[in-house]
Each structure stands twice: as C-alpha cells, then as structure tokens.
Amino acid sequence: MSNTDLTQLGAKPKAPRVPLKWDHSATAISETTTLAIERSRAIRDKIAALPRSSCTFENVFLELAKEESELENTTGPLTFYQYVSTQDELRNAANTAEQRLNEYGIEASMRIDVFEALKAAKANIDKEELKLAPEENRLVEKLLLDGKRNGLDLPEETRNQVATLKKELSNTCTEFSKNFNEEKGTVTFTKEKLKGVPEDVINGYGKKDDEYVVTFKTPDLMPVLKHAQDPETRKEILQASESKLAINVPLLTKAIDLRRRLAKLMNYKTWADYVEEDKMIKTGKAVEEFLADLRKKLTPIGLKERDELLKIKKEQHERYGYPFDNEFYICYYDNAFIEKFLDLDDNFIKEYFPVEVVVPAILEIYQELLGVKFRVSPEKVGTWHPDVQHFEVWDADATTEKDFLGDVYLDLYPRENKYSHAAVWGLIQGFLKQDGLRQYPVACMVANLAKPTPSRPALMRHDDVVTYFHEMGHVFHGLLSRTTFGRFHGTSVARDFVEAPSQMLENWCWEPSVLRRVSSHYETKQPLPDDLIEKLIKSRYVNIGLFSLRQLFFGTFDIKVHTDTTGEIQDYSKFWCDLREQVSLVKTGDKITPGQGSFGHITGGYDAGYYGYLYSQVFSADMYETVFKKDPMSAESGKRYRHEILLPGGSRDEMDSLKAFLGREPNSDAFLKSILGTPNANPSAANL
C-alpha cells in the first residue's frame, strides 16, 4: 500500500463528531476550566441532596460516571497545552488550570455526602436484588473503593488533614512537571571534543562562537553518549544531564514526605501499599520481592557483560592514550561492543530509517494488523502547531459513520518548551452516552524525532523506530477500546499492565519481514539487506542484563523511597548515585549528581509504580510468544488482540483479559527465556 492510500476510504462517510478546536486563549482556558468545575460541583451537590432511600444506580452511579467523563473531556485538551504550546501564556494557563483541577479533584474526592449517597445506592441495589451488567458492577465496585482509598471512612479531622496534604502534594508534583517540561539546559563543545559523533548530527547542533550547543533532548544527547570518542566529553554531558533539574530536588523530597504522611493518616503501612492496592501486584512487599528476585537473576549476567565492556574500554583507552580507571559509566561501550562483535554501526543503520518512510510504514502495519484505516479529514482540522498531523481512524471496511473509531494527532518533532520525551495523551475518552450514541476518543502521540539537516533528511535510530512502534500501541489502545464508561476506556487499566500491550508490539521491530517494510535507504531507496537485518536482530539481547538492571535501578529507587516509613533516607541525591552503582553496576561519575530531579515518572503518576515496566514484560512476552510469534501479521490474531485486550480496556479485570487472549493463565516462560536464556522451573507472573 502506498503512502497516499492513507487518505483512501471507499465512499468516505463523514465522521460523526465535531473536531477539537485549538484556538484557545489563556483567558478561554481559565474561564472554561471554571465553568467545568462549577458544572461538576453542581452535579455532585444534586447527588448529595438525594434522600438516601431514593438513591439508585441511575441517579448516583450513572450520574457520577457521566460527570467524570464530561469534566475530563472538557478540560483534558486545555491542560494539554502545557506540554506542546510554543506560547508562554498558554502553557502557564494550562498549568494553572491543571493545578485548579487537581485541587478540585481532591475536594470532590473528599465529599463525604456524595460517598454516603454511593453507599445508600449500593444498599438499595442489594436490597432490590437488581441485576447489573458486568461493567456496571465494576463501576459500583471502583467508585466505592475510591471512597475508601480517599479516606472517607476516617474521622472528619483526619479527612481534613488528608485533603490538605493531597492538595499540597498535587501542587508540588505539578511544579516538578512544569520544570521538567520547560528545561532548556545545554552544554557546549568544540568540534574536536565531539570527535566520533556523526557529522550529520553535529551539523544539526546550534553554534555559539566556535562551539556546538548540545541540548539534553534525546536526538542531541544520545549521539554524544554513544559515539563521542573522548571519555571526558561523555562524562561532562552525562553529569550535566543528571544535574539539569537540580531545581526539582527539594520538590521530590517534599513529595515523598507528603506521601509518607498521607499513607500513615489513611492507615496504610507505606505509600507503596496504598498505590499497589488497586494494581495487579496488590502490595508494596510483593513489588520488593519481585524486584529483588529479578536482581538476583540478572546481576551475574550484568557482571559478565560489564567485564566484557571494560575489556573494550581498556583496549580503546590504550589505543587513544586515555587513562583507564576500570569503571563503567554508560552506553558508549555498549555501542562499541556491538560495532566490534557484530560489525553493526548504529549511525549507518539509521540511514535506512528516514522519518518520511518509517512513520507511514508503521501506520500501514497497524492498519493491516488491526483492521483499520487512517484518513486525512476532508474538512479542515486545526492543530496547535504547523508540524502536527491529524488523521481520522476508521474500520478498514467502513461504509457508514458507525464505523468511525476516533481521531489521532501526531506531534513528532522537537521544539523549545515541548515535552522532551515520547508519550501518548488520551485527549478525549470514549464512552457510551446516555442517548445511546458514542463519544469518540481522541489520542495524541508526542515524540521528538530528529529533524532534517542540510545534508540529510530526518533519520531515525532503530531505537527510535522501536519507541515509535511502542507509543502507537498506546494510541490504538485508546482508539479501539469500546467501553460503556469513560473511566474504563483504553489505557485506563491497572498501571502495572498498561505497558504490556505496547511492549508486546515492540517485537514487530525485530521481525525480518517488518524491518524490510519500514526501511528504505535515504539515497538508494533499498530496504535493509538480509545481513544487516540478521546483525540487528542479534544485537537485540546484547547486554540485556545491564539494560534490565538499569530499569531495575529506577524501579528499586522508586519502591525504596516509597516504603521508607521513617524518613531514614536523608540525602536522595547520594542515595540515587549509590543505588545506581549497586544495582545497575554503572557509575555516574566522580561526583554526586541529583539525577532524581529528572525522574519525571515519580511525580507523573508512576510513583511506587515504575516496577510495572518490568512486571508487564512478563505478560507482553507471553502474549507475543503465544499468539503472534508464528505469524506476526496474522489478521486473525490481530482481531483476537483487538477484541480481547484493546476493546475491553479496564472494564474487566486485566487477568480475565489475559486469560481470554492467551487461552490459559499467563506465565513467565517467554520473559525469562528472553533475558536469561532459560525459563523458570516453576513459572508464575506473581512469583517471578
């Protein structure tokens, strides 16, 4: 299928929705947020005023579900401006709106009168022995659990303390994120100090006097860490990157302390126990055991890999005349290992992955696999920046407007003040409206792919291709979910499962047939040759022990600070650096650096949850090996995945979705085989 086929769709029925508008002013953001909060508060007032004997599923649970979705869908696009807008006033207004919404969310969550109405409605449902649909039962269960987790069973004085601390925590995390999003640090180097960095990358850097200006955004940073020959250059930029958000250190310390105090007030042993309660893993202790067991399995592998990399380092330092310290710091020698033993040059490989080829090719693969079609809207649809693309998404065999699935925006290139990593935002939840019509979802993928240089088009490292494929997995989780209630839509699943579908989809980027489809050398237009494909696939698990230990380090730091009940850890910067060396076997340098100030996950919803990246790999590996490995492009398997994993979202227990997809209980065989070479003798996702 050619790229132009993205715009083709039979008779082209009109999408049954009004596209989002992106022409807000700062005043409009503020005023709309105010109205949305007032409307939400009025609905909750009405529910709270109901006589307890008159509380029903319809006038309490359904009304709250409707109110939640209306508030989310009205304000989600407004707060999104803080991550993507080029205008200071819009970013500031969006940030302020998010703070106000977070504060209102705490107010709403602490309303004992609404909680009493919920309990009365549940009692009336039970008394009348009403039969609810499975998703309706889940709504009842989750709303009541929310009340308990918000401390509404506690005495009034304690509830007031909880509300105050939650507001303080919310504001602290919002400030942390604002600093993260608006970070503008740079390091300058002479051309000599950048020796080894690809010429096209250097040409893309800004210049100040006779030096090149390197930012900490991925397209700038990673080529220096992976290719700069001079170890002092790599050390300088690594330590600068680790220190770029020192401003966030007191904010993170404050957030951790607030969480510790909140957990105690709400009668949880630790903040981790509070967070894990509604996840698949259930307790903080189970997280600690999972990470400790994995560390025990991975450390011997990582030590062997480290020794091999130190041999390469010694060889290079002797060759170039650098002193050898017998220490390992970061990915330069990982890349050198691949170049030496696999004769695989990362910079040469990326010549086969022009952005203009990869992006539409990956869209085509998703369309084929999941039975959907992208279409450029026949009507003019605005965006927040000229670089942004918009597509309608339809069922592949669409003939009527009922086959419309939703909208997607792609914001793929770096710019100042834009979110600096890759992520997906669900801007609009999908759900079934009370008139029986569907609210269609809207998703946006934000990335920072390389831009063209004077000598080359925009090219992607293979790592970037994997990341793009992963993030598109989140996009489709949002677009292809079909739930009754917005709170269960798409990626609104347990946080330690949410990455599993996208992690599974990364496997496509290591399949020979897919690599041929997404590659085309920017000059010769030829796909990756078979010998390079073979080398690339062999590189996948090179130094997998060290790679996994790095993830383990992040998860361990996260769980340690959120299971510390006494404030025993006094210096989080020292703890960060010491733990990094102990777990990941990698040093930061010769000084303590505040790397935790850049750990955005810990204030962005993944607190006591980073373990989920590794935990969900147990499920993702099992899903791929069991269903897709024999034929990754099987339309039948794609349909099964769409129906059993994507469609239900969080409307049923994640384990039920897994069992329906796999045809059995999940196990850790495939995961352990991928990183250790052999499966566990007694595999279990829960006991890995």
Side-chain angles (χ1 to χ4, degrees):
M1 183 175 69
S2 69
N3 295 348
T4 55
D5 286 335
L6 295 176
T7 66
Q8 304 304 310
L9 185 67
K12 294 187 179 180
K14 182 177 171 60
R17 56 85 183 99
V18 177
L20 291 176
K21 293 185 181 300
W22 296 100
D23 55 359
H24 299 88
S25 65
T27 300
I29 290 173
S30 176
E31 290 177 349
T32 304
T33 300
T34 297
L35 289 173
I37 290 172
E38 289 175 351
R39 186 163 58 244
S40 171
R41 186 180 287 120
I43 292 170
R44 289 177 178 266
D45 288 344
K46 181 180 176 182
I47 291 170
L50 289 169
R52 297 301 175 245
S53 60
S54 300
C55 291
T56 66
F57 177 77
E58 288 75 14
N59 64 18
V60 177
F61 288 99
L62 278 185
E63 282 298 306
L64 280 174
K66 176 186 173 185
E67 176 272 319
E68 282 181 345
S69 293
E70 286 183 351
L71 180 64
E72 177 69 26
N73 286 354
T74 300
T75 60
L78 303 180
T79 59
F80 179 62
Y81 278 108
Q82 68 188 293
Y83 301 104
V84 294
S85 178
T86 57
Q87 300 178 48
D88 289 346
E89 61 270 23
L90 285 185
R91 290 197 313 277
N92 291 335
N95 190 266
T96 300
E98 183 163 297
Q99 287 183 321
R100 291 177 60 206
L101 286 161
N102 288 341
E103 289 180 3
Y104 170 69
I106 293 165
E107 171 199 317
S109 72
M110 299 301 293
R111 288 192 62 162
I112 189 70
D113 51 359
V114 175
F115 187 52
E116 292 296 337
L118 283 165
K119 291 194 292 186
K122 177 62 166 70
N124 293 336
I125 291 168
D126 291 344
K127 182 179 179 181
E128 296 176 20
E129 298 183 352
L130 293 179
K131 298 294 183 184
L132 300 177
E135 189 173 340
E136 292 173 337
N137 276 318
R138 191 165 176 82
L139 177 69
V140 171
E141 171 195 330
K142 293 296 184 181
L143 283 172
L144 289 170
L145 179 61
D146 286 350
K148 177 214 173 229
R149 287 172 54 74
N150 288 326
L152 297 182
D153 286 330
L154 300 172
E156 182 178 2
E157 182 180 351
T158 307
R159 291 200 308 273
N160 291 337
Q161 288 179 278
V162 167
T164 299
L165 292 180
K166 279 188 172 183
K167 287 180 181 178
E168 193 173 354
L169 175 62
S170 173
N171 290 336
T172 302
C173 291
T174 300
E175 186 177 351
F176 185 107
S177 296
K178 186 174 188 293
N179 293 337
F180 185 93
N181 294 334
E182 298 186 357
E183 184 276 319
K184 300 177 184 177
T186 61
V187 186
T188 58
F189 295 106
T190 63
K191 183 73 175 287
E192 179 63 23
K193 294 288 284 184
L194 292 173
K195 186 177 181 180
V197 178
E199 196 68 26
D200 66 307
V201 174
I202 294 176
N203 290 338
Y205 293 148
K207 290 196 75 174
K208 183 179 180 181
D209 300 325
D210 292 328
E211 294 190 321
Y212 291 89
V213 180
V214 183
T215 73
F216 298 122
K217 295 191 184 296
T218 302
D220 279 12
L221 174 67
M222 291 308 296
V224 179
L225 292 176
K226 293 184 76 169
H227 297 289
Q229 181 180 299
D230 188 340
E232 288 302 313
T233 298
R234 302 193 303 271
K235 179 180 176 181
E236 181 180 348
I237 199 167
L238 172 63
Q239 292 189 337
S241 179
E242 285 281 301
S243 305
K244 66 187 177 186
L245 281 165
I247 189 175
N248 276 343
V249 168
L251 295 174
L252 182 57
T253 300
K254 182 179 180 181
I256 292 168
D257 179 63
L258 288 168
R259 288 167 179 160
R260 185 183 301 117
R261 292 160 63 189
L262 276 165
K264 186 175 181 180
L265 281 172
M266 294 188 294
N267 297 321
Y268 289 88
K269 183 179 178 183
T270 67
W271 182 256
D273 288 308
Y274 168 74
V275 171
E276 265 57 277
E277 182 181 30
D278 65 348
K279 294 184 180 177
M280 296 184 76
I281 205 162
K282 299 307 178 190
T283 68
K285 185 173 185 291
V287 174
E288 292 182 289
E289 290 173 348
F290 168 74
L291 294 176
D293 185 60
L294 199 52
R295 182 181 176 186
K296 183 179 178 181
K297 289 180 169 74
L298 287 169
T299 299
I301 298 171
L303 286 169
K304 289 180 181 178
E305 294 169 353
R306 182 178 180 272
D307 288 344
E308 289 299 317
L309 295 178
L310 284 172
K311 289 178 185 177
I312 294 176
K313 178 176 180 177
K314 186 176 181 182
E315 290 173 5
Q316 289 205 359
H317 279 230
E318 288 175 352
R319 185 187 314 147
Y320 298 127
Y322 299 124
F324 176 63
D325 58 5
N326 202 37
E327 293 292 349
F328 179 65
Y329 297 93
I330 201 147
C331 55
Y332 175 81
Y333 294 102
D334 185 59
N335 191 60
F337 180 96
I338 292 172
E339 290 183 359
K340 177 177 180 179
F341 290 102
L342 291 177
D343 189 25
L344 192 65
D345 182 350
D346 182 61
N347 191 50
F348 178 62
I349 289 291
K350 78 177 185 180
E351 293 182 5
Y352 285 89
F353 295 118
V355 171
E356 64 184 13
V357 172
V358 174
V359 169
I362 288 178
L363 295 184
E364 289 171 8
I365 288 168
Y366 270 105
Q367 290 174 104
E368 182 180 325
L369 181 67
L370 299 176
V372 301
K373 282 279 189 182
F374 275 65
R375 186 179 91 177
V376 175
S377 180
E379 58 190 315
K380 183 174 175 58
V381 175
T383 65
W384 52 91
H385 190 273
D387 286 349
V388 178
Q389 295 175 279
H390 167 268
F391 295 103
E392 296 175 359
V393 184
W394 296 76
D395 270 321
D397 55 357
T399 56
T400 74
E401 65 178 28
K402 291 182 179 179
D403 299 313
F404 179 68
L405 297 169
D407 294 270
V408 61
Y409 295 88
L410 303 179
D411 188 349
L412 302 179
Y413 303 103
R415 56 181 178 270
E416 195 170 276
N417 294 315
K418 179 186 168 185
Y419 181 79
S420 58
H421 295 282
V424 170
W425 274 261
L427 299 175
I428 299 291
Q429 296 176 340
F431 60 92
L432 191 64
K433 296 188 286 189
Q434 289 187 330
D435 60 7
L437 299 177
R438 180 153 291 278
Q439 170 65 60
Y440 294 98
V442 180
C444 175
M445 178 179 169
V446 174
N448 286 273
L449 305 180
K451 282 193 168 185
T453 70
S455 59
R456 287 181 169 185
L459 302 174
M460 297 171 70
R461 295 176 301 119
H462 183 255
D463 287 350
D464 298 325
V465 177
V466 175
T467 298
Y468 186 82
F469 215 99
H470 174 106
E471 297 300 336
M472 284 305 300
H474 289 310
V475 167
F476 280 100
H477 204 165
L479 292 176
L480 300 184
S481 177
R482 303 279 282 190
T483 58
T484 302
F485 304 115
R487 70 153 39 211
F488 299 132
H489 177 77
T491 56
S492 299
V493 295
R495 270 295 175 104
D496 48 6
F497 179 72
V498 71
E499 295 297 333
S502 285
Q503 288 171 337
M504 180 196 75
L505 289 157
E506 291 178 16
N507 287 284
W508 273 252
C509 300
W510 301 95
E511 289 290 345
S513 61
V514 173
L515 286 168
R516 292 186 193 99
R517 286 185 64 171
V518 302
S519 61
S520 175
H521 192 277
Y522 78 96
E523 289 182 327
T524 68
K525 311 305 178 188
Q526 294 299 306
L528 268 174
D530 289 347
D531 63 325
L532 284 183
I533 288 176
E534 183 180 358
K535 291 176 181 179
L536 187 61
I537 292 171
K538 284 182 178 178
S539 76
R540 181 176 187 181
Y541 294 114
V542 167
N543 301 323
I544 188 63
L546 287 171
F547 175 82
S548 299
L549 285 169
R550 181 175 181 270
Q551 292 294 94
L552 201 68
F553 154 63
F554 292 130
T556 303
F557 177 87
D558 177 33
I559 202 65
K560 289 289 186 186
V561 301
H562 288 120
T563 52
D564 175 16
T565 58
T566 61
E568 179 182 343
I569 303 169
Q570 293 294 314
D571 184 341
Y572 287 113
S573 295
K574 185 176 186 305
F575 183 66
W576 173 271
C577 294
D578 290 348
L579 192 68
R580 176 177 178 151
E581 184 174 354
Q582 293 163 16
V583 177
S584 69
L585 311 178
V586 173
K587 281 196 170 184
T588 307
D590 52 10
K591 65 179 182 180
I592 293 173
T593 51
Q596 76 277 16
S598 303
F599 193 15
H601 293 78
I602 209 166
T603 59
Y606 274 84
D607 45 298
Y610 198 90
Y611 76 93
Y613 282 101
L614 286 166
Y615 189 76
S616 58
Q617 283 182 21
V618 174
F619 307 123
S620 66
D622 195 9
M623 291 161 66
Y624 183 73
E625 189 73 24
T626 302
V627 178
F628 282 108
K629 180 60 179 174
K630 288 183 179 179
D631 183 4
M633 294 308 299
S634 164
E636 182 180 348
S637 296
K639 183 177 180 181
R640 178 173 162 188
Y641 170 67
R642 178 174 170 178
H643 182 76
E644 299 295 356
I645 299 294
L646 302 184
L647 186 144
S651 66
R652 67 181 179 187
D653 190 273
E654 292 77 14
M655 190 59 72
D656 290 338
S657 292
L658 279 167
K659 287 189 288 188
F661 181 65
L662 296 169
R664 57 165 171 77
E665 293 270 354
N667 65 52
S668 58
D669 279 10
F671 172 69
L672 289 171
K673 184 178 179 181
S674 70
I675 61 171
L676 305 176
T678 55
N680 193 3
N682 184 24
S684 163
N687 299 317
L688 176 64

